[in-house]
Amino acid sequence: MDAMATIEQFWDRPDAVVVLGSAVVALFLVVSRPVWRVSRNVVTIAHEGGHALFALLSGRRLSGITLHSDTSGVTVSRGRTTGFGMVLTGFAGYVAPSLLGLGGAVLVAAEQIRPLLWVSTALLVAMLVMIRNVFGVISVVVTGGIVFAVSWFATQPVQDAFGYLVCWFLLLGGVRPVWELQRKRVRGRAPSSDADQLARLTGVPGTVWVLVFGAVALACLYFGGLLLVDM
């Protein structure tokens, strides 16, 4: 199938406007600096949630999660300070939003948008138990409340549009923090970043880890985007 036929097939879909419109809105949420200062909190929740989940999966003991108003966050876990579990925990943060976006795109492509919203709500509730500061609680409660309200009260077309928006936002929003991280590293403003901690753990330069973060984010954006536009 040539490119023009593929584009025509996309526009023949009844939800083509929803798919494209949600992508445009998500892109605005990511590229607009004033809006990004607020919307980035959602990415931070996903980032710290990734650290927390993989800390548990690797056998570490989760102590708590703190989310700050400057969109930074800290996840504290107990266990060995070296080894594969620590590396996996450190690696998970920057790739978590993109992987969640890809997983969401799989559910959306399977027309399972309501389960996507329910799973998202459940994950946020589980994360809320480990939040250790007031701003973090407010951020997670507001985010979870919005997702739950859409899943419970909204009509199916609204749920569909919201599901696409969430996926596009996570896929696009997973890319920008990686670029921001490297900018901070170049300026010497992130000596304890995930990439630099991984460098100390593995001996692999921090810049290589940033490139890996970026490669995962871009791969998820590409494959997730294909699923969402069904091409």
Side-chain angles (χ1 to χ4, degrees):
M1 184 180 295
D2 59 32
M4 287 302 299
T6 301
I7 294 173
E8 289 176 1
Q9 183 183 45
F10 170 71
W11 281 112
D12 286 338
R13 290 175 53 181
D15 62 347
V17 174
V18 172
V19 177
L20 184 60
S22 60
V24 171
V25 173
L27 184 62
F28 173 74
L29 294 174
V30 172
V31 301
S32 172
R33 183 174 297 180
V35 177
W36 178 242
R37 291 172 185 169
V38 177
S39 63
R40 196 186 195 284
N41 284 290
V42 177
V43 176
T44 302
I45 290 173
H47 178 115
E48 299 304 328
H51 282 314
L53 176 61
F54 280 88
L56 293 173
L57 291 176
S58 61
R60 299 180 62 80
R61 183 177 177 182
L62 188 61
S63 299
I65 302 170
T66 303
L67 304 174
H68 301 298
S69 58
D70 63 354
T71 71
S72 65
V74 177
T75 297
V76 179
S77 60
R78 297 178 181 178
R80 290 182 56 190
T81 57
T82 59
F84 180 73
M86 192 64 185
V87 172
L88 187 63
T89 300
F91 178 76
Y94 275 97
V95 300
S98 298
L99 292 175
L100 287 171
L102 179 59
V106 171
L107 289 175
V108 168
E111 299 183 354
Q112 298 297 315
I113 292 180
R114 179 167 287 182
L116 165 64
L117 300 178
W118 288 343
V119 169
S120 299
T121 303
L123 290 174
L124 288 165
V125 170
M127 185 176 179
L128 182 61
V129 177
M130 299 307 303
I131 300 295
R132 295 292 182 262
N133 68 320
V134 174
F135 180 82
V137 169
I138 293 173
S139 296
V140 174
V141 168
V142 170
T143 304
I146 292 172
V147 177
F148 173 76
V150 172
S151 69
W152 196 259
F153 299 109
T155 61
Q156 188 62 53
V158 173
Q159 290 181 10
D160 291 347
F162 186 77
Y164 276 104
L165 176 61
V166 168
C167 292
W168 280 121
F169 176 73
L170 289 172
L171 291 169
L172 292 166
V175 176
R176 180 165 178 172
V178 178
W179 171 68
E180 292 176 338
L181 169 63
Q182 186 58 20
R183 284 183 58 193
K184 290 180 180 179
R185 293 184 69 253
V186 169
R187 298 174 182 178
R189 293 169 51 195
S192 298
S193 71
D194 291 354
D196 293 286
Q197 291 183 44
L198 288 168
R200 288 190 284 270
L201 286 167
T202 64
V204 177
T207 301
V208 174
W209 285 109
V210 174
L211 291 173
V212 174
F213 294 157
V216 172
L218 290 173
C220 287
L221 176 58
Y222 175 75
F223 290 108
L226 289 180
L227 288 169
L228 293 174
V229 301
D230 192 24
M231 287 186 178

